[in-house]
Amino acid sequence: MADLSIDFAGIRAPNPFWLASAPPTNSGHQIHRAFEYGWGGAVWKTIGAPVLNISNRYGGLSIAGQRLLAINNVELISDRPLDVNLREIAEVKRMWPDRAVIVSAMVDADPQAWRDIVMKIEDTGADGIELNYGCPQGMSERGMGAAVGQVPEMCELNTQWVTSITRLPVIVKLTPNITHITEPAHAALAGGATALSLINTINSVMKIDLDTLRITPNIGGRGTHGGYAGPAVKPIALNMLAELMTDARVRASGVPISGMGGIVTWRDAAEFLLLGATSLQVCTAAMHYGYRIVEDMIDGLSNWMDDKGFATIYDVAGRALPQTSTFGELDLSYQAVARIDPDKCIQCNLCYVACNDTAHQCIDLVADGGVRVNPGFDVRANGRQVADTRPQPVVREPDCVGCALCANVCPVDGCIEMVSVPSGRESITWDQLTAQRPEVATSWDAMMAYRKEQGIDIH
């Protein structure tokens, strides 16, 4: 059986699944219960400056009946008294010595404020500190959270104030509300961070109620921006994780990264591991389904690792990174075409509509007898009505550019597959092509001449 235990910047845990700093880690009672279900660690809901939360603080994104594809929150950091949180942190760590207990902290950008909170955290026996530089609502207006994470100089300075006075591992939690995620990461490393975590929530307005014309969530007739999280943010989180793990300075530093943002299943977790994360944080999924989801995560990841022959988390971590690339390094000669399995096709025609209206018009609807038809007209063959049939979508492969839109809109798994086919051209990347023939990047005449030479005809 695979060994799921981790050593994350000196913080040990029996598995990589940690609850993220959020409502699921608001109290000792909650974390006790979470650990009983098997969570490997928990990042305590952020403690620090005094706050007062508001009511009606969550908004959810539902599409086609699927609930909570994303959640928007306007909640602040912990509104429980500091001494209560500190006492419960100590109690949890004492009762669960084998689990990772990390304390998220946020205070004013002042060295004395950080000294005061860090010394109190150290006294609890916690395993590490996570510096919350990501919260985009409420706290950022007070000069904390994202207001620090979005300014590399402030990120470095605040981190240095903490790392210079503590013996504990310091994890810097990065905000995604920034143009280049590498910049605050470099700043955190310059400040002495021993680990990074990402992503925090994305600044957002969830929706407008078309009956009341008010922003949701509605707080006494008013609304505001909040933090966006849940399954819908996973692609953004994976991209930012890949950016860090392929950055030379981050890779050279050797600091581990805790990945989060849309992890719901063990499959999601495996994707974060494959891009280099070595601990995983979960919030929205626990809020939606409860703590017990970790049982499926542990079993699923363990079984997958066994099937793949991975003995430890570190055998998995980063295995997909060698395949990540810039556009300029992709093979321009690679060719794929869509193929529709007629035995699986339900003749819904979504592929035809998508291709005909918004892609490259290379799917035909074909009736019995090979007659091409248009949707909305009677299907006739040889002048007779074709009984009990619907036209079958068929791809004209010579005209297919391999965009894969049809495969993505098809509601039947495995009905449309993208199949690699020989292009007849030598392998070349955009970087190589423009180095050899720089004129193709600036002149359409030169580009069309190159296409003619290579036999490239875009339908």
Side-chain angles (χ1 to χ4, degrees):
M1 186 173 180
D3 178 7
L4 301 188
S5 65
I6 61 169
D7 183 332
F8 184 85
I11 302 171
R12 297 180 181 275
N15 63 65
F17 296 108
W18 298 355
L19 284 169
S21 171
T25 60
N26 190 50
S27 69
H29 169 74
Q30 290 171 276
I31 295 177
H32 279 302
R33 291 182 56 237
F35 285 170
E36 288 172 351
Y37 280 115
W39 290 90
V43 184
W44 208 275
K45 184 169 171 61
T46 307
I47 63 174
V51 299
L52 192 60
N53 271 303
I54 48 85
S55 186
N56 199 17
R57 61 190 71 163
Y58 301 132
L61 176 66
S62 299
I63 297 177
Q66 188 169 350
R67 307 286 290 181
L68 219 60
L69 289 172
I71 191 171
N72 168 287
N73 85 88
V74 290
E75 184 166 290
L76 304 179
I77 65 175
S78 177
D79 53 10
R80 304 168 75 235
L82 184 59
D83 61 334
V84 173
N85 275 310
L86 293 167
R87 183 180 70 247
E88 292 181 5
I89 293 166
E91 291 172 354
V92 168
K93 187 58 195 176
R94 185 169 60 252
M95 293 184 66
W96 297 91
D98 67 325
R99 307 302 168 94
V101 178
I102 298 96
V103 181
S104 176
M106 180 193 297
V107 293
D108 290 323
D110 174 77
Q112 189 58 49
W114 279 114
R115 173 177 288 276
D116 291 344
I117 196 76
V118 167
M119 294 300 102
K120 291 174 181 176
I121 292 171
E122 283 194 347
D123 289 343
T124 67
D127 297 298
I129 302 172
E130 184 178 78
L131 306 184
N132 184 346
Y133 296 163
C135 187
Q137 76 282 347
M139 306 309 294
S140 56
E141 287 91 330
R142 293 169 57 177
M144 293 175 270
V148 173
Q150 291 170 331
V151 182
E153 295 80 6
M154 290 297 293
C155 181
E156 178 180 350
L157 184 62
N158 280 258
T159 303
Q160 190 174 45
W161 286 336
V162 175
T163 57
S164 65
I165 60 172
T166 186
R167 56 180 175 77
L168 293 175
V170 176
I171 307 168
V172 170
K173 189 172 187 177
L174 302 175
T175 176
N177 301 299
I178 194 163
T179 304
H180 299 294
I181 194 67
T182 53
E183 293 183 4
H186 294 164
L189 296 176
T194 45
L196 302 172
S197 63
L198 82 164
I199 61 172
N200 207 314
T201 55
I202 301 168
N203 217 0
S204 63
V205 171
M206 182 54 78
K207 60 183 177 181
I208 309 296
D209 187 309
L210 298 185
D211 292 324
T212 65
L213 312 185
R214 290 175 175 172
I215 294 174
T216 299
N218 177 355
I219 302 120
R222 299 181 71 85
T224 186
H225 63 95
Y228 188 72
V233 310
K234 188 183 79 168
I236 299 169
L238 290 175
N239 175 62
M240 289 191 169
L241 173 61
E243 284 190 65
L244 289 192
M245 291 305 302
T246 55
D247 178 78
R249 287 177 62 180
V250 174
R251 290 297 296 272
S253 72
V255 301
I257 296 179
S258 184
M260 73 195 88
I263 297 176
V264 179
T265 69
W266 68 264
R267 293 177 179 274
D268 301 324
E271 292 180 53
F272 277 82
L273 293 172
L274 288 166
L275 284 178
T278 48
S279 91
L280 308 163
Q281 297 189 36
V282 179
C283 171
T284 306
M287 295 174 73
H288 194 178
Y289 301 110
Y291 294 137
R292 196 166 186 172
I293 60 167
V294 76
E295 296 173 353
D296 290 337
M297 290 179 173
I298 291 171
D299 289 345
L301 182 63
S302 180
N303 291 336
W304 174 76
M305 288 174 61
D306 288 343
D307 289 344
K308 292 293 185 181
F310 297 132
T312 72
I313 293 295
Y314 299 96
D315 294 332
V316 181
R319 289 293 288 264
L321 288 173
Q323 301 161 27
T324 60
S325 155
T326 64
F327 180 87
E329 298 169 325
L330 300 176
D331 185 0
L332 295 173
S333 72
Y334 174 76
Q335 181 64 48
V337 296
R339 286 189 182 158
I340 302 171
D341 185 340
D343 293 330
K344 293 181 179 179
C345 180
I346 61 174
Q347 285 85 43
C348 67
N349 296 341
L350 282 174
C351 60
Y352 172 84
V353 172
C355 183
N356 194 51
D357 288 357
T358 65
H360 286 268
Q361 302 80 48
C362 62
I363 296 180
D364 296 320
L365 294 179
V366 179
D368 286 351
V371 179
R372 292 183 184 178
V373 297
N374 293 317
F377 291 86
D378 287 341
V379 179
R380 297 183 181 275
N382 298 323
R384 304 188 317 275
Q385 181 73 36
V386 179
D388 300 323
T389 186
R390 287 174 61 84
Q392 173 72 42
V394 177
V395 178
R396 296 194 316 277
E397 291 191 10
D399 292 332
C400 179
V401 300
C403 72
L405 177 61
C406 58
N408 281 282
V409 301
C410 179
V412 180
D413 289 342
C415 179
I416 303 180
E417 295 190 4
M418 301 306 298
V419 180
S420 297
V421 296
S423 69
R425 305 194 303 273
E426 290 187 8
S427 177
I428 192 169
T429 68
W430 178 253
D431 288 348
Q432 292 169 337
L433 175 60
T434 53
Q436 296 172 15
R437 301 173 69 162
E439 66 275 10
V440 300
T442 58
S443 166
W444 268 108
D445 288 341
M447 172 59 76
M448 296 309 293
Y450 175 76
R451 289 184 183 181
K452 186 175 181 179
E453 289 174 18
Q454 299 296 317
I456 301 173
D457 180 22
I458 299 177
H459 173 67

